[in-house]
Amino acid sequence: MSQAIEQSKKLSITCVTIGNFGCGKSTLIGHLIYCLQSKNKDFYTKRIETYEINNPCLKYASLLFPHKPEQERGMTLAANPTLCFTPKYHCVIFDTPGHIQYMKSVIVGLAQSDAALVVLDAIDDDFLDPCSQARQQVKERLVLAHTFGVKQVIVIVNKMDMSDYAKELFDHFCTEAATLLKGIGYLPKKLSFVPVSAWCGDNLVSPSALMPWHTGPTLLQTIDSLALPLTRESLLERPLRMPVRRVHRIGGIGTVLTGRIVAGRMAYDCRVRIGPAPVTTKIGVDSQRFWEYRHGQVGDNISVRVWGSPRDYCRGDVLSLEEAAPVRPCISFTASVIVMPHAPGRMRVGYAPLLHCHTARIPVRISRILEKQLRCNEQPPETLDTLCSGASYVVCVTPLRPIVVERFAECNALGRFALRDKGVTVMIGVVQTVEYCDDDDGDGGYFAHGGEFERREREYQLRRRAAKKEDRRIRRRGMRPRPHVHVAKGAKVNN
């Protein structure tokens, strides 16, 4: 118990892994946790010995596979948080999938992290090619990480044992990674480069004798050298905000919500409102960090026991105190967005992509284009009816389902977002102003505008089915389906 209390007094920091499929992210974090584990060492040893017989390639990665589908397929399918204790930090590491099919799980991990661990494969030369697909996938993940406020990056060059621990190869990867990160917007002083071998454990916890040319810190020392976000102290005095990451039903306990506190403080046995639906309940906090003090603050990943059925809650809900600025669903919000250079064609008013904000993922519609932010010597457009790639705009976004967002100046974690369509990030931005539902009945205005949200949902589903039907018709004719351009009712389209 004394050891648990001693560990609970450490500072909390959250990291996320970024990398392509097969670069060794799960093996790296699994071996690091195995080296740092002292309490349940025998349990992990038995599990590793079991996988050495059945599937030796996954003996360390299996420590991060909590679900049966992941164990059967031998790959990460969701952003799984893993707890470890370094000499300085109480560290939670999100192991994210590397396959591009599970990009939505990667965004959930990025939206809740303070630092990123970029894992590169030393025997894969595709990253060194600026036009390769592997490099473009890593770049997209880093752009999203920068969008969601991940300002510190550790570049890890893995599988050094399979490249004969070559210093020239490590320097080449560092140069290419530094060029890529600098182009995205990361400061060079915020970057760290570490050569490791996840399979052999070289340079994870202790320096490796096989790499005498590397005089820098190990991976564990590099994680301890990370700095806490400067805004964390100012967020302590803000109203409580905790986006829900996952909903569990645990026998003997009940419904448990897991998430990360992004603003304010939480105490045991308090009354909270969970939005966007007006659910008010009393909670009991079973924190991963606090064993004795039963409270949480900004940066803590905690589990909250609530009353009610798991069907009353879902990922993307936001938890707040009932008496101190409770959350409310928004009808629409104004945002400053940047259209990505690889966005598909011209996007008109009425375009309906998917919004990724904190842990929520809902369809939205671009209802109006208010302003185009002009560059130097750029002439203003005659009409504002299309969004061109590579430009910046101020737009009005209308959610098609209930969601909780806030101004970026008030709560930056609830004010950052990315818009994606067909597996591609098309826009990134921040929230400037929010139009909330009226709170005349004390329910956050949810029921007053419930019919409006249902109408928007029906309209979105009808347009989505019509677009899929058009794609099937085009494929039957042997033609390539064109990118969907969603047009609002009454809008004019020039073909």
Side-chain angles (χ1 to χ4, degrees), residues 102-123:
Y102 306 102
M103 196 65 186
K104 59 182 180 181
S105 299
V106 177
I107 296 176
V108 172
L110 293 174
Q112 302 181 82
S113 301
D114 301 317
L117 308 179
V118 182
V119 184
L120 305 178
D121 192 346
I123 61 175

Side-chain angles (χ1 to χ4, degrees), residues 334-355:
T334 304
S336 175
V337 299
I338 300 175
V339 184
M340 304 301 291
H342 55 263
R346 291 175 174 267
M347 293 163 286
R348 298 180 175 88
V349 173
Y351 180 63
L354 287 176
L355 170 74

Side-chain angles (χ1 to χ4, degrees), residues 344-391:
R346 291 175 174 267
M347 293 163 286
R348 298 180 175 88
V349 173
Y351 180 63
L354 287 176
L355 170 74
H356 294 261
C357 184
H358 50 91
T359 58
R361 177 175 173 265
I362 66 164
V364 296
R365 183 174 64 242
I366 307 296
S367 56
R368 284 183 297 165
I369 303 176
L370 304 178
E371 178 188 353
K372 181 179 181 181
Q373 299 175 352
L374 303 177
R375 299 176 182 174
C376 182
N377 299 328
E378 184 179 3
Q379 297 296 327
E382 296 180 359
T383 59
L384 288 175
D385 56 351
T386 59
L387 298 171
C388 301
S389 60

Side-chain angles (χ1 to χ4, degrees), residues 235-240 261 263-267 295-298 321:
L235 291 173
L236 285 173
E237 307 303 326
R238 300 289 179 86
L240 172 66
I261 300 178
R265 293 184 174 91
M266 178 184 295
H295 70 275
Q297 60 182 5
V298 179
L321 293 178

Side-chain angles (χ1 to χ4, degrees), residues 333-340 366 371 373 387 390-397 417 419 426-432:
F333 61 88
T334 304
S336 175
V337 299
I338 300 175
V339 184
M340 304 301 291
I366 307 296
E371 178 188 353
Q373 299 175 352
L387 298 171
S392 302
Y393 296 89
V394 177
V395 298
C396 181
V397 182
F417 66 89
L419 298 177
V426 294
M427 279 179 270
I428 57 176
V430 295
V431 179
Q432 293 183 346

Side-chain angles (χ1 to χ4, degrees), residues 42-62:
D42 296 338
F43 170 77
Y44 287 114
T45 302
K46 291 179 181 178
R47 188 165 183 175
I48 288 176
E49 291 175 353
T50 302
Y51 269 84
E52 279 184 337
I53 300 174
N54 301 329
N55 195 346
C57 296
L58 300 176
K59 67 175 185 177
Y60 292 116
S62 63

Side-chain angles (χ1 to χ4, degrees), residues 96-226:
T96 60
H99 201 284
I100 193 172
Q101 180 181 357
Y102 306 102
M103 196 65 186
K104 59 182 180 181
S105 299
V106 177
I107 296 176
V108 172
L110 293 174
Q112 302 181 82
S113 301
D114 301 317
L117 308 179
V118 182
V119 184
L120 305 178
D121 192 346
I123 61 175
D124 188 5
D125 296 337
D126 289 344
F127 178 79
L128 303 178
D129 183 8
C131 301
S132 64
Q133 184 179 5
R135 180 155 177 164
Q136 296 304 319
Q137 291 179 8
V138 174
K139 182 179 179 180
E140 183 182 9
R141 287 168 167 83
L142 289 172
V143 169
L144 290 172
H146 193 269
T147 302
F148 286 104
V150 181
K151 302 301 182 184
Q152 300 179 85
V153 175
I154 300 175
V155 180
I156 304 170
V157 183
N158 191 20
K159 301 184 181 180
M160 293 296 296
D161 56 318
M162 303 181 68
S163 60
D164 297 330
Y165 301 97
K167 181 179 183 299
E168 295 78 10
L169 184 63
F170 172 70
D171 293 339
H172 195 183
F173 270 91
C174 291
T175 304
E176 293 295 330
T179 303
L180 177 62
L181 289 164
K182 188 176 180 180
I184 294 174
Y186 285 97
L187 300 177
K189 63 180 181 180
K190 297 285 186 179
L191 305 179
S192 302
F193 302 91
V194 184
V196 301
S197 172
W199 182 261
C200 302
D202 295 324
N203 212 29
L204 292 183
V205 178
S206 57
S208 174
L210 299 174
M211 291 183 285
W213 44 266
H214 178 68
T215 58
T218 62
L219 177 59
L220 180 62
Q221 295 171 348
T222 308
I223 293 176
D224 273 346
S225 65
L226 294 173

